[in-house]
Amino acid sequence: MKTKVVFSVALILGVFYTSLASNPYAWSGEKPRTAWKNWSISVNAGVTSYFGDLSHYDNDLIGKLKFESEPAFSFMINKQFNSAFSLGGQVLYGGLSNENQNITDFRTNFVEYNFQGRLNLIETFNGDKVSRFGITAFAGLGQFIFKTVDYLSDGNVPADNIHDTGVPEFVYFGGGELSYVVNDRLVITADLAIRQAQNDKLDNVHQGGDYDYYSFSSIGITYRFKDLFGTKKLPNLTRYEYTF
């Protein structure tokens, strides 16, 4: 577990260092007057999918979406430090499930909150050109609270087969995003992230030494603020000229 945590932190720091290398003036101690520049909010909707001891459709996309996935929604606030690098905080609400006639079904609901670093790869390696299209890599750490309930075939819920964490559990994740800039304010996105839980009870089954994990795939829209409070004569860190 410690090795995985160290690797995740190192990955985020690596993303941060790569961004600074591409723009050495991006983070030299932000002046107070620029603190409200270049923020954005994102809303995403999609599905969270279960991978664990009871999953049977890991190689079947249709089966995974139909039998082992539930709707999910997220909200994120993000601070852009230069044209490529940003930091954000996200809240995700989703669910996991398993439907199979040979085993007991389960349903899991969870709430996750996390902190993540994001690097636009096209902006990093595109020099002075700016594209409407973006490919972003991101990684983060967070916690989640979940409740898992087993359902028998007759619909009854055995009281002793309910697992409620009660306290937050640790999770780390990595993923990618495709984006298209509609205008100075709006960006359309498509995301996919794999999230590794430090817990083997998402499905109420503990087998072997591997933890359960889940994915979040979504489409979303981002609204960008040049300045949250409309302060005048602030330096502009975000470029709005585009090439195709």
Side-chain angles (χ1 to χ4, degrees):
M1 175 177 175
K2 291 183 179 179
T3 301
K4 294 180 180 179
V5 173
V6 171
F7 175 78
S8 300
V9 174
L11 181 60
I12 296 174
L13 293 177
V15 169
F16 190 29
Y17 176 80
T18 302
S19 173
L20 294 183
S22 66
N23 186 351
Y25 303 103
W27 184 254
S28 58
E30 188 173 321
K31 296 180 181 180
R33 65 175 185 168
T34 66
W36 304 112
K37 286 284 289 184
N38 299 308
W39 289 81
S40 66
I41 57 174
S42 301
V43 178
N44 287 61
V47 295
T48 42
S49 302
Y50 158 73
F51 297 85
D53 300 312
L54 302 181
S55 59
H56 291 269
Y57 300 96
D58 293 353
N59 299 316
D60 179 356
L61 178 60
I62 301 301
K64 177 64 68 176
L65 294 176
K66 184 177 181 181
F67 298 111
E68 296 179 349
S69 303
E70 294 291 336
F73 310 90
S74 76
F75 174 84
M76 183 168 70
I77 185 168
N78 200 61
K79 167 63 176 175
Q80 196 80 30
F81 291 98
N82 58 34
S83 60
F85 182 73
S86 64
L87 293 174
Q90 182 185 46
V91 177
L92 167 64
Y93 174 80
L96 307 170
S97 64
N98 177 275
E99 297 181 17
N100 190 296
Q101 294 181 352
N102 297 322
I103 60 175
T104 302
D105 297 341
F106 74 87
R107 299 289 186 278
T108 298
N109 294 317
F110 69 87
V111 176
E112 175 194 313
Y113 48 91
N114 65 66
F115 176 77
Q116 56 186 267
R118 305 173 67 86
L119 181 66
N120 188 318
L121 302 178
I122 290 182
E123 289 289 346
T124 300
F125 301 107
N126 212 23
D128 293 332
K129 296 181 180 180
V130 182
S131 174
R132 286 187 182 271
F133 297 94
I135 301 176
T136 298
F138 58 89
L141 306 169
Q143 292 182 311
F144 70 110
I145 300 173
F146 70 93
K147 181 178 181 179
T148 300
V149 179
D150 286 348
Y151 290 87
L152 299 179
S153 58
D154 60 2
N156 293 324
V157 182
D160 58 344
N161 281 352
I162 298 177
H163 179 75
D164 193 340
T165 57
V167 296
E169 300 280 351
F170 178 75
V171 63
Y172 68 93
F173 60 91
E177 175 184 273
L178 301 177
S179 61
Y180 177 76
V181 178
V182 178
N183 55 41
D184 288 359
R185 300 294 187 182
L186 298 179
V187 182
I188 298 173
T189 61
D191 296 68
L192 174 62
I194 303 297
R195 304 170 122 79
Q196 173 71 72
Q198 297 301 298
N199 187 298
D200 193 31
K201 297 181 179 179
L202 288 178
D203 48 20
N204 250 351
V205 174
H206 180 71
Q207 293 180 353
D210 295 330
Y211 293 131
D212 298 323
Y213 62 100
Y214 56 98
S215 66
F216 177 43
S217 53
S218 67
I219 57 174
I221 187 167
T222 297
Y223 184 84
R224 304 190 298 193
F225 299 88
K226 290 184 180 179
D227 184 356
L228 285 178
F229 296 105
T231 306
K232 297 180 179 179
K233 297 182 180 180
L234 295 179
N236 188 7
L237 300 178
T238 306
R239 299 170 290 179
Y240 294 108
E241 297 177 359
Y242 304 102
T243 58
F244 294 88

